[in-house]
Amino acid sequence: MELIYDDLKSIQEVRCLIKKAKEAQKIYCELGQEKIDHIVKKVAEAGEKNAEKLAKLAVEETGFGNYEDKIIKNKFASRVVYESIKDLKTIGIIKEDMEKKVIEIGTPVGVIAGLIPSTNPTSTAIYKSLIALKAGNAIIFSPHPNAKNSIIEAVKILSEAAINAGAPEGIIGCMTIPTMEGTDELMKNNDVSLILATGGSAMVKAAYSSGTPAIGVGPGNGPAFIEKSADITMAVKRIVDSKTFDNGVICASEQSIVVEKCIKENVINELIGQGCYFLNEEETEKVSKFILRANGTMNPQIVGKTAKDIANMAGITIPNGTKILISEQEKVGKNYPFSREKLAPILAFYTEEDWEKACEKCIKLLNNEGIGHTLIIHSNNEDVIREFALKKPVSRILVNTPGALGGIGGTTNLIPALTLGCGAVGGSATSDNVNPLNLMNIRRLAYGIRELEDLKPKKENSLEINDELIYSITKLVIEKLNC
């Protein structure tokens, strides 16, 4: 019997999925806004109903994060995302401005390739399905190999809900043989209209270089600045809430704390009081070796693990109940692991003379990694907050709120999303919290309101001078002089 390799199987599977999705999308986009909204509602309900089951599968398969918080994320991706998009007009006439005589018509992009990370596998699948369907599109998922089974199960549940609600079969699909070759085919196939990529830098770069329009988001490395006017107890509480939520796997979570010198001791005491542990020099060195791999990328061994798990890996002893490991740092750079993104309960701690110096440190951290993503500031000084807003190269600045939950729109009024754009400065096509409006085109019907003559410069009759007039005046003057 002839052996068929996985890469060839994967490519063929992708081509079949795309064919089905393209046919399904042609039917789906003609159903109209009301029917599409009904389908989206039923898919959201299915995601919420299975939130616990999918959370358990994700934790068991990946070992990242914790079961209770993944339930919250699955419900967020289902109910909260649905509530934020349910009233959007996305199909047909979505806006009429009869005064300006312009009508806007929503049109789907077609078939979307959805790349899913292992850190937030099931919640991202739910979220991307909802925003793709709401905009009238089909979506095909390329699951991270380390989270393949939980993503496939999530897609199965969502697809069945969509079909039972009246969507054509194939509107939501998923690769079951995830290979680099198969994903490459998915991204480059001519019948795929858009890539929605969430994950590491290499994967996002591959999406943008595929030749297919793409919305990709890369790593975060958000610093949290605690300014001297802040409520220190609440600031620390919010940072701890964020960095321990699902063991720190959300990319908008804090990666560093920056404080002014005058409040340093108060902040340190509060951090210790709320369950954080400051590493000494020897312990810092041991933990550093586990943050990055030899190639300079984040070590997956620490991702989504508890502080205790990481301490055991590093061979250090920490107090029972420790929530976060913190190391005092001075330097920032690719070779300083604590200054990089750490999707785990690990934080760097920097001290600066004043808020201006702290501002510079935050920019340095962002330029090192995570530029364009997220920054958090804890302050009651509106002038300082505004200065940070004007100067920071990020797409979202969060004030007095947990970074992870504020960035995705859980504790703020930002658009609820699990794909957070980093803007052009961060190599992304958008700075938005990605939503259905990013996954559709707008066709504009514009009526003429002026004629060509109306566009020509208006002549002022009293000053109108032409060659014939000049000749007549000159002739008259000469005649008078000759007299």
Side-chain angles (χ1 to χ4, degrees), residues 331-351:
K331 295 182 179 180
V332 174
K334 297 294 183 185
N335 297 321
Y336 298 96
F338 280 90
S339 70
R340 303 278 301 275
E341 183 185 42
K342 308 163 290 296
L343 297 182
I346 302 172
L347 286 167
F349 187 92
Y350 295 92
T351 304

Side-chain angles (χ1 to χ4, degrees), residues 124-401:
T124 304
I126 296 168
Y127 150 73
K128 287 188 177 181
S129 294
L130 290 179
I131 63 173
L133 293 178
K134 177 67 177 180
N137 304 299
I139 188 164
I140 300 168
F141 291 110
S142 170
H144 192 289
N146 294 339
K148 178 183 76 170
N149 295 329
S150 56
I151 294 170
I152 289 173
E153 181 61 24
V155 172
K156 178 185 174 184
I157 290 167
L158 302 174
S159 177
E160 287 178 355
I163 292 167
N164 290 338
E169 193 171 338
I171 200 69
I172 306 175
C174 185
M175 297 168 59
T176 62
I177 312 169
T179 64
M180 290 179 66
E181 293 82 6
T183 300
D184 191 59
E185 173 68 24
L186 179 63
M187 292 194 296
K188 293 180 178 179
N189 192 286
N190 289 334
D191 287 329
V192 171
S193 303
L194 181 72
I195 303 168
L196 186 53
T198 310
S201 297
M203 183 270 288
V204 172
K205 286 180 180 177
Y208 279 121
S209 61
S210 67
T212 301
I215 297 174
V217 297
N221 190 32
F225 172 49
I226 304 178
E227 191 260 338
K228 62 185 177 185
S229 71
D231 182 329
I232 292 174
T233 300
M234 284 303 297
V236 169
K237 183 257 183 194
R238 289 162 178 153
I239 291 170
V240 172
D241 284 348
S242 176
K243 197 59 177 167
T244 57
F245 184 79
D246 207 19
N247 293 340
V249 298
I250 293 180
C251 55
S253 63
E254 296 81 351
Q255 305 300 321
S256 305
I257 297 174
V258 183
V259 302
E260 292 180 274
K261 187 177 180 179
C262 61
I263 61 169
K264 174 183 177 180
E265 295 306 319
N266 290 341
V267 174
I268 288 176
N269 290 336
E270 192 62 48
L271 285 164
I272 293 170
Q274 293 196 36
C276 301
Y277 178 74
F278 277 78
L279 303 166
N280 61 32
E281 191 173 335
E282 181 183 350
E283 292 166 335
T284 291
E285 185 62 29
K286 288 182 177 179
V287 173
S288 290
K289 294 177 181 178
F290 279 87
I291 294 176
L292 301 179
R293 292 184 288 190
N295 64 1
T297 61
M298 185 167 41
N299 183 358
Q301 285 184 286
I302 69 165
V303 174
K305 297 298 190 293
T306 65
K308 184 69 173 175
D309 291 334
I310 296 167
N312 289 340
M313 278 189 276
I316 64 173
T317 302
I318 60 174
N320 290 331
T322 295
K323 297 176 180 178
I324 299 173
L325 304 177
I326 302 179
S327 173
E328 283 202 65
Q329 296 284 305
E330 293 181 1
K331 295 182 179 180
V332 174
K334 297 294 183 185
N335 297 321
Y336 298 96
F338 280 90
S339 70
R340 303 278 301 275
E341 183 185 42
K342 308 163 290 296
L343 297 182
I346 302 172
L347 286 167
F349 187 92
Y350 295 92
T351 304
E352 296 297 332
E353 195 65 35
D354 50 39
W355 75 263
E356 289 93 344
K357 294 291 184 185
C359 184
E360 292 173 10
K361 181 68 76 177
C362 289
I363 292 174
K364 194 170 184 180
L365 285 161
L366 291 164
N367 283 328
N368 181 46
E369 188 172 29
I371 190 168
H373 205 291
T374 302
L375 175 139
I376 306 95
I377 179 170
H378 298 273
S379 173
N380 288 310
N381 186 327
E382 285 298 323
D383 290 336
V384 173
I385 291 169
R386 298 284 174 132
E387 283 294 319
F388 264 64
L390 291 169
K391 293 182 179 179
K392 293 299 173 293
V394 290
S395 299
R396 55 202 59 80
I397 295 174
L398 310 174
V399 182
N400 298 330
T401 194

Side-chain angles (χ1 to χ4, degrees), residues 25-225:
Q25 194 271 332
K26 285 181 180 177
I27 298 168
Y28 180 73
C29 69
E30 295 295 331
L31 295 178
Q33 188 77 69
E34 185 176 348
K35 184 64 175 178
I36 284 175
D37 287 349
H38 170 71
I39 293 167
V40 170
K41 181 180 181 181
K42 292 302 179 183
V43 171
E45 288 174 353
E48 184 172 10
K49 181 180 178 182
N50 290 276
E52 292 189 27
K53 172 187 175 180
L54 294 175
K56 185 177 181 181
L57 286 174
V59 172
E60 287 176 351
E61 184 176 18
T62 66
F64 296 163
N66 64 74
Y67 169 66
E68 295 81 6
D69 290 342
K70 287 202 184 295
I71 295 173
I72 294 172
K73 283 201 297 189
N74 286 338
K75 290 185 175 181
F76 173 87
S78 305
R79 182 175 62 246
V80 178
V81 169
Y82 170 73
E83 289 294 329
S84 75
I85 67 175
K86 66 179 182 179
D87 296 324
L88 282 177
K89 290 183 178 181
T90 55
I91 301 294
I93 295 175
I94 60 175
K95 184 180 178 182
E96 292 186 65
D97 188 335
M98 297 318 296
E99 182 181 344
K100 293 184 178 179
K101 293 190 177 296
V102 175
I103 297 174
E104 295 184 353
I105 300 163
T107 60
V109 297
V111 177
I112 294 174
L115 278 56
I116 306 292
S118 56
T119 46
N120 307 296
T122 56
S123 53
T124 304
I126 296 168
Y127 150 73
K128 287 188 177 181
S129 294
L130 290 179
I131 63 173
L133 293 178
K134 177 67 177 180
N137 304 299
I139 188 164
I140 300 168
F141 291 110
S142 170
H144 192 289
N146 294 339
K148 178 183 76 170
N149 295 329
S150 56
I151 294 170
I152 289 173
E153 181 61 24
V155 172
K156 178 185 174 184
I157 290 167
L158 302 174
S159 177
E160 287 178 355
I163 292 167
N164 290 338
E169 193 171 338
I171 200 69
I172 306 175
C174 185
M175 297 168 59
T176 62
I177 312 169
T179 64
M180 290 179 66
E181 293 82 6
T183 300
D184 191 59
E185 173 68 24
L186 179 63
M187 292 194 296
K188 293 180 178 179
N189 192 286
N190 289 334
D191 287 329
V192 171
S193 303
L194 181 72
I195 303 168
L196 186 53
T198 310
S201 297
M203 183 270 288
V204 172
K205 286 180 180 177
Y208 279 121
S209 61
S210 67
T212 301
I215 297 174
V217 297
N221 190 32
F225 172 49

